[in-house]
Amino acid sequence: MEVKTTELIRTSETWEGATLPDFPTGKPELTVFRTVFPVGGITGWHHHTAVNYGIIEQGELTIVCQDGKEKTFHEGEAMVEVINTIHRGENRGNKPVILNMFYFATPGQVLTVQHPEL
């Protein structure tokens, strides 16, 4: 049985074309989240402070920026999230979305800032 490796993404930009920020100096802290979006599920408006990327394990997830820019990511796709840009995730599909996100930050750094006032 052969082990097969497929590169899903290699980039220095977020999905909307912004250049990723420089890494901070010092020891990194890596964090992984799995988020399940039910059909019709929508996150609140938020922004991320750290470099992060994810893989859509199941379903289709649409990322909508506050300025109206949006992109839909499909099952099996890798995505590099926007940083310091207010956005939200929406499951507009017909099955739950399973999203695995990987964050690179400094120890104790707040990864996500909510914007409930929007």
Side-chain angles (χ1 to χ4, degrees):
M1 298 194 62
E2 182 180 342
V3 174
K4 183 178 179 181
T5 300
T6 303
E7 184 173 294
L8 297 179
I9 193 168
R10 182 185 298 234
T11 185
S12 295
E13 297 181 344
T14 65
W15 66 261
E16 93 306 12
T19 301
L20 292 173
D22 291 338
F23 278 124
T25 59
K27 184 177 182 177
E29 181 175 69
L30 308 178
T31 305
V32 180
F33 289 106
R34 172 173 279 187
T35 303
V36 178
F37 293 74
V39 173
I42 300 174
T43 67
W45 291 104
H46 63 280
H47 77 269
H48 302 290
T49 63
V51 172
N52 64 92
Y53 70 96
I55 299 171
I56 307 294
E57 184 177 322
Q58 176 181 288
E60 297 181 352
L61 181 65
T62 301
I63 305 296
V64 180
C65 292
Q66 189 180 24
D67 67 3
K69 189 181 290 187
E70 65 178 57
K71 183 172 181 177
T72 300
F73 295 89
H74 307 276
E75 194 167 302
E77 275 190 280
M79 58 180 274
V80 177
E81 266 279 37
V82 293
I83 302 169
N84 294 317
T85 298
I86 298 173
H87 65 286
R88 69 182 185 190
E90 301 180 2
N91 181 356
R92 299 176 182 172
N94 57 10
K95 65 180 174 180
V97 169
I98 300 173
L99 170 66
N100 298 304
M101 291 297 294
F102 306 85
Y103 291 78
F104 300 89
T106 57
Q109 180 177 348
V110 172
L111 303 175
T112 303
V113 177
Q114 300 296 324
H115 294 274
E117 70 279 3
L118 299 177

